[in-house]
Amino acid sequence: MKGARITALAGGTGSVKLVRGLYTINRSTLTVIVNVGDNVWMHGLYVCPDIDTIVYGLAGILDQPRGWGVKDDTFNFQKQLASLGEETWFQLGDRDLATHVWRTMRLRKGATVSEITKALCERFSIEAKVIPVTNEFVETRVVADHEEMHLQEFWVKRRGRDTVTRIKYFRAAKAQPAPEVLDAIGSADLVIICPANPISSIGPILAVPGVRRALSRTSAKVLAVSPIIGSNPVSGPAGTFMKAMKIEVSPLGVALFYRSFLDEMVLHISDRNLAPRMTGIGVKPKITDVLMRSAEDEIRLAKFLVTDV
Ligand code: GDP
């Protein structure tokens, strides 16, 4: 259906590929609700990695091989900071840095992350709505080897080496959804859970009070694209986090995690044998190539998802 209202729930590197595909086919009626759990204060600046990945992706300036930051960026700030003896494990490119300075200045003047993200989208002439799930400082924390740390510290600084025992969504239970979040789910024609890390990207979105309920109640079809093929994630620490949460690392495990609101699960062709078990838990399986290696793949998958809306 032309003009169908599509709401996508997104993290960063995996999600942005599908979000770009959806934007190509449905520019102005796309709303992207973005994770904020991996936002982090760094050198006095508020960095929102997933929001920036989605915004840069839609603006066409994302460093695609990395999946974060601005393409063709330089790292002079970083080098200079290192020469001053500062820790620089979290990489920030020079152009990317402008976004974080700009955002932090606005936050200090009292603007919310929603307002700042909207303004950022306007600067880049992005027609889709990109909204943080909450304006509060929710933080995904990892308990690994009995030490609790920010997700970025676990994954970037310590390179995901420690044994994870728990994931916590700090401050989520008391957070308010940002304006438009619940309405974007309730009034959509189709809700898509992007191929994202279920625990560190979608989990913090679901942990914000009201979001799970809105997903269960919406009259829109809710479908998810599996970030797992066989028993491995396409990339990143989804397997480690799912195991820590005692969730089977498979598309079925992802579907069980989303089961209370999920109508359909899109599986990779090589996982077609899981279809009967998917049906058995009340989730309709849809089978296609879920790997996105090019812009054509992103559009192909996006079209496949919206066909019967
Ligand atoms: P993060 O915030 O950078 O962790 O990004 P996301 O949560 O949005 O994306 C990471 C997830 O996307 C990982 O679990 C990957 O397995 C998955 N992923 C990455 N690329 C693809 C792809 O092309 N297809 C599918 N189906 N999943 C992908």
Side-chain angles (χ1 to χ4, degrees):
M1 189 210 317
K2 199 157 174 48
R5 287 159 301 178
I6 296 171
T7 295
L9 269 55
T13 54
S15 307
V16 69
K17 303 190 216 173
L18 181 61
V19 166
R20 253 188 324 234
L22 291 166
Y23 187 57
T24 308
I25 60 170
N26 226 324
R27 277 188 116 70
S28 58
T29 52
L30 174 66
T31 300
V32 191
I33 298 173
V34 189
N35 170 42
V36 297
D38 51 5
N39 291 2
V40 64
W41 284 95
M42 197 54 68
H43 317 305
L45 302 173
Y46 194 53
V47 182
C48 304
D50 286 351
I51 292 176
D52 293 342
T53 289
I54 298 294
V55 169
Y56 293 160
L58 295 180
I61 61 165
L62 181 70
D63 184 326
Q64 294 204 38
R66 280 201 173 97
W68 56 266
V70 177
K71 65 181 170 191
D72 304 324
D73 213 345
T74 50
F75 288 83
N76 294 316
F77 160 81
Q78 187 95 14
K79 283 184 210 141
Q80 188 68 14
L81 203 62
S83 74
L84 294 172
E86 192 63 33
E87 279 193 79
T88 53
W89 53 268
F90 194 83
Q91 285 195 279
L92 296 172
D94 298 330
R95 288 181 200 182
D96 187 22
L97 192 62
T99 307
H100 314 312
V101 171
W102 187 84
R103 171 185 295 122
T104 309
M105 288 189 311
R106 273 161 182 72
L107 272 178
R108 295 208 192 286
K109 285 184 193 154
T112 62
V113 178
S114 296
E115 290 162 349
I116 297 165
T117 307
K118 186 166 184 264
L120 192 61
C121 287
E122 280 164 10
R123 303 289 155 119
F124 286 120
S125 304
I126 294 170
E127 290 173 51
K129 267 190 200 166
V130 180
I131 46 179
V133 63
T134 176
N135 281 316
E136 286 159 59
F137 296 99
V138 169
E139 206 175 281
T140 303
R141 302 190 65 86
V142 176
V143 183
D145 294 333
H146 306 293
E147 207 183 312
E148 188 175 317
M149 62 195 90
H150 192 291
L151 172 75
Q152 302 291 3
E153 192 177 340
F154 165 77
W155 183 240
V156 185
K157 185 176 183 183
R158 296 162 75 134
R159 299 182 189 278
R161 278 190 295 250
D162 313 72
T163 308
V164 182
T165 47
R166 247 184 103 188
I167 317 288
K168 292 183 181 174
Y169 306 123
F170 183 58
R171 296 198 198 95
K174 290 193 177 144
Q176 294 272 332
E180 301 189 73
V181 166
L182 301 184
D183 187 52
I185 296 170
S187 66
D189 296 310
L190 175 66
V191 176
I192 297 173
I193 317 290
C194 287
N197 189 316
I199 311 302
S200 63
S201 290
I202 305 301
I205 298 180
L206 302 177
V208 173
V211 172
R212 267 188 181 269
R213 209 157 83 118
L215 287 165
S216 315
R217 289 189 165 187
T218 182
S219 56
K221 181 165 73 181
V222 180
L223 66 77
V225 178
S226 179
I228 309 282
I229 298 180
S231 53
N232 294 300
V234 177
S235 57
T240 307
F241 293 160
M242 288 172 76
K243 273 186 211 142
M245 301 283 279
K246 312 266 183 292
I247 299 170
E248 179 184 304
V249 186
S250 75
L252 196 72
V254 179
L256 283 166
F257 186 59
Y258 296 155
R259 185 188 193 174
S260 64
F261 55 79
L262 193 66
D263 297 310
E264 294 183 3
M265 181 69 157
V266 183
L267 310 170
H268 194 59
I269 20 195
S270 57
D271 286 326
R272 62 163 73 82
N273 60 319
L274 288 178
R277 288 174 71 198
M278 207 54 86
T279 311
I281 61 162
V283 175
K284 186 176 167 193
K286 287 188 101 176
I287 294 156
T288 192
D289 177 357
V290 298
L291 267 179
M292 293 167 283
R293 308 167 205 84
S294 63
E296 290 72 36
D297 282 346
E298 295 170 5
I299 296 167
R300 171 191 49 76
L301 185 55
K303 283 188 175 157
F304 177 84
L305 303 181
V306 305
T307 37
D308 31 296
V309 188

